[in-house]
Amino acid sequence: DRDVKKMRPIVDEINVFTAEYHNLSDDELRAKTPEFRKRISDATADARDRLKELRVELDALGRDDDRTDLLDDIEAVEAEIKDVEQDVLDDILPEAFAAFKEVCRRFKDAKKSWDCAGEMVTWQAVPYDVQLIGATVLHQGKIAEMATGEGKTLVAGMALYLNGLTGRGVHLVTVNSFLAKRDAMWQGPIYTFLGLTIGVIQDRAMGAEAYVMEDDGQGGYHMRECDHTEAYQMDLIYGTKDQFGFDYLY
């Protein structure tokens, strides 16, 4: 109860921004993603410049030179960048979740439909306050326990979008390859509208190594087959614990 009480002001702020975004055009709403990314980039610019300089110094060292201090400095700057990114994401959260929620509302109002793993679906989901709380919990690195039907897939989508803004790649772990593909196809058009890219890692027994979602240029979307390497270059990557684990070891 205490945790939820602390999050109520965040939920209220998200809903205020959502009301503001209601008046934006589609292009203006899409422009929020590069705006968010620029804020992250601007906040980490100095640290990234220092990191580049340190890596140039590292490359200039000979094989017999002591690299320990330089490697420690590089590790410290990389950690600083991640800390700054986290601070900016915390600040951006209400606006990012609001952008996601507004896209959901527009898709629902427009009765947008698309193929989802062989089944046509019409978008009907707009996050409730409890789902905004769940997504905030996930972003904070905690566990959000939700019963079947309470919208775990939608909740995870908001946290994925927010953290995908860093460009580091965010992984969504499911229990099997079918769910990985289905969930990516269900929410993929929301991410695509907002300018993020989606990859899906598959068990090779499913007949394809991986997929990336692409706009077909006619208002629809399709999954193009690719290899794991290409899928991992996307902003958001859906897959299973087994495949992520095998790829990590490989």
Side-chain angles (χ1 to χ4, degrees), residues 108-157:
K108 180 181 179 181
D109 289 351
K111 295 182 173 59
K112 278 189 171 288
S113 300
W114 56 83
D115 175 71
C116 181
E119 180 182 354
M120 288 301 294
V121 297
T122 300
W123 187 263
Q124 297 179 332
V126 180
Y128 293 107
D129 286 357
V130 67
Q131 293 167 331
L132 299 176
I133 291 173
T136 302
V137 166
L138 290 181
H139 171 66
Q140 293 175 348
K142 302 174 184 176
I143 295 172
E145 182 181 4
M146 304 180 74
T148 299
E150 288 187 338
K152 291 185 289 292
T153 306
L154 186 66
V155 165

Side-chain angles (χ1 to χ4, degrees), residues 4-239:
V4 171
K5 186 175 181 180
K6 290 178 182 177
M7 293 180 195
R8 287 304 315 184
I10 298 175
V11 171
D12 293 340
E13 192 174 1
I14 294 169
N15 289 326
V16 168
F17 277 114
T18 303
E20 292 179 7
Y21 293 169
H22 185 74
N23 298 318
L24 298 179
S25 67
D26 283 353
D27 287 342
E28 289 172 331
L29 187 56
R30 287 190 186 96
K32 287 296 175 181
T33 295
E35 175 190 317
F36 298 150
R37 283 183 153 164
K38 185 176 186 304
R39 284 159 64 177
I40 296 171
S41 177
D42 289 348
T44 58
D46 291 343
R48 290 188 183 280
D49 287 342
R50 293 202 308 275
L51 186 61
K52 288 179 182 178
E53 293 170 1
L54 290 170
R55 285 176 173 162
V56 169
E57 291 181 38
L58 184 66
D59 291 340
L61 292 179
R63 301 180 77 182
D64 298 327
D65 292 327
D66 185 0
R67 298 170 174 240
T68 304
D69 290 342
L70 201 50
L71 289 172
D72 287 344
D73 290 343
I74 289 174
E75 185 176 349
V77 175
E78 288 176 338
E80 177 188 343
I81 291 172
K82 289 182 179 179
D83 287 342
V84 173
E85 285 178 347
Q86 182 66 38
D87 290 340
V88 178
L89 289 180
D90 290 344
D91 291 338
I92 289 174
L93 184 151
E95 298 165 77
F97 283 10
F100 188 98
K101 181 175 180 178
E102 174 60 16
V103 175
C104 290
R105 185 196 66 78
R106 294 186 186 195
F107 275 31
K108 180 181 179 181
D109 289 351
K111 295 182 173 59
K112 278 189 171 288
S113 300
W114 56 83
D115 175 71
C116 181
E119 180 182 354
M120 288 301 294
V121 297
T122 300
W123 187 263
Q124 297 179 332
V126 180
Y128 293 107
D129 286 357
V130 67
Q131 293 167 331
L132 299 176
I133 291 173
T136 302
V137 166
L138 290 181
H139 171 66
Q140 293 175 348
K142 302 174 184 176
I143 295 172
E145 182 181 4
M146 304 180 74
T148 299
E150 288 187 338
K152 291 185 289 292
T153 306
L154 186 66
V155 165
M158 287 179 277
L160 283 168
Y161 170 62
L162 174 63
N163 287 272
L165 295 170
T166 65
R168 291 183 178 274
V170 184
H171 300 75
L172 189 291
V173 186
T174 65
V175 296
N176 60 57
S177 288
F178 172 76
L179 288 178
K181 185 178 179 183
R182 187 201 67 181
D183 290 356
M185 294 181 75
W186 185 63
Q187 285 197 138
I190 301 288
Y191 304 134
T192 302
F193 181 98
L194 287 165
L196 267 60
T197 54
I198 304 97
V200 184
I201 304 298
Q202 293 281 276
D203 182 337
R204 289 173 175 82
M206 296 293 289
E209 286 195 20
Y211 297 93
V212 292
M213 175 168 277
E214 294 182 333
D215 190 324
D216 64 9
Q218 300 177 350
Y221 309 89
H222 71 276
M223 303 298 282
R224 175 175 61 80
E225 291 188 19
C226 65
D227 59 20
H228 283 203
T229 301
E230 183 177 357
Y232 279 118
Q233 303 307 309
M234 302 298 106
D235 295 312
L236 312 176
I237 307 100
Y238 283 72

